[in-house]
Amino acid sequence: MNSALVIIDMQQEMQARIDAGRPHVHGDAPAKVAALAAAFRAAAQSVMHVRHAAPDPAAPLHPAAPGYLPMPCAAEAEGEPVFVKHSSSAFATTDLADHLHAIGSPELYVVGAVAGFCVNSTVRAAADLDFRVNVVADAVLGFDLPGYDAQTIFDVTMALLAADFAEITDSDRVIQALQG
């Protein structure tokens, strides 16, 4: 098996949004991400981390801001790569693609935040680069937008990704496959 868990933007700002009561889906995603990371590590599969760094010093995801720090579920273990992006896609402003090619172009399992933004654009870019992509839907956070509830945005995003860019799966299925 050659696979990689790609954890996108699971940073303290996401937890702050949840704690502030912002409407969201999969509030248990951090626990799912932690379980997936443990299973990938136990199966000697790659775990990689992507963090968003905003250039504006006042932004909650600026590297000096508390919101930039990883959530505990997304803290890297020794030797795991961390890719810092300045765009929505994890591929546009990092060397993630080069790293993936260097380790044998593994099948990707994408988790993290936020479904309609960085997860969406990363998955689409990965598919465009000919990576085989899976989205572990129950380990992906989604938030509302003005006029649209979080569940609708999440469901439409997953449907669009499933239509042409990725397989949609769940954490139990992935963990069972890693253990089997």
Side-chain angles (χ1 to χ4, degrees), residues 6-10 48 50 85 88 90 110-114 118-119 122:
V6 180
I7 304 171
I8 301 173
D9 296 355
M10 289 299 274
M48 44 202 66
V50 178
K85 64 183 180 64
S88 182
V110 177
V111 301
V114 172
C118 298
V119 170
T122 297

Side-chain angles (χ1 to χ4, degrees), residues 89-113:
S89 169
F91 290 95
T93 57
T94 72
D95 63 351
L96 177 59
D98 292 337
H99 178 79
L100 291 168
H101 288 303
I103 63 169
S105 298
E107 182 170 352
L108 305 182
Y109 290 83
V110 177
V111 301

Side-chain angles (χ1 to χ4, degrees), residues 39-51:
F40 271 77
R41 291 172 182 135
Q45 298 300 299
S46 298
V47 177
M48 44 202 66
H49 308 265
V50 178
R51 297 202 183 113

Side-chain angles (χ1 to χ4, degrees), residues 5-16 18 24-37 48-52 61 66-76 82-83 85 110-115 118-119 136-143:
L5 181 66
V6 180
I7 304 171
I8 301 173
D9 296 355
M10 289 299 274
Q11 294 166 256
Q12 289 295 333
E13 173 59 18
M14 303 309 141
Q15 188 64 54
I18 292 168
H24 61 279
V25 296
H26 298 140
D28 61 345
K32 304 281 187 180
V33 169
L36 285 160
M48 44 202 66
H49 308 265
V50 178
R51 297 202 183 113
H52 189 93
L61 290 173
Y68 177 80
L69 298 172
M71 296 169 73
C73 67
E76 68 275 8
V82 176
F83 299 90
K85 64 183 180 64
V110 177
V111 301
V114 172
C118 298
V119 170
V136 188
D138 61 340
V140 174
L141 285 171
F143 293 99

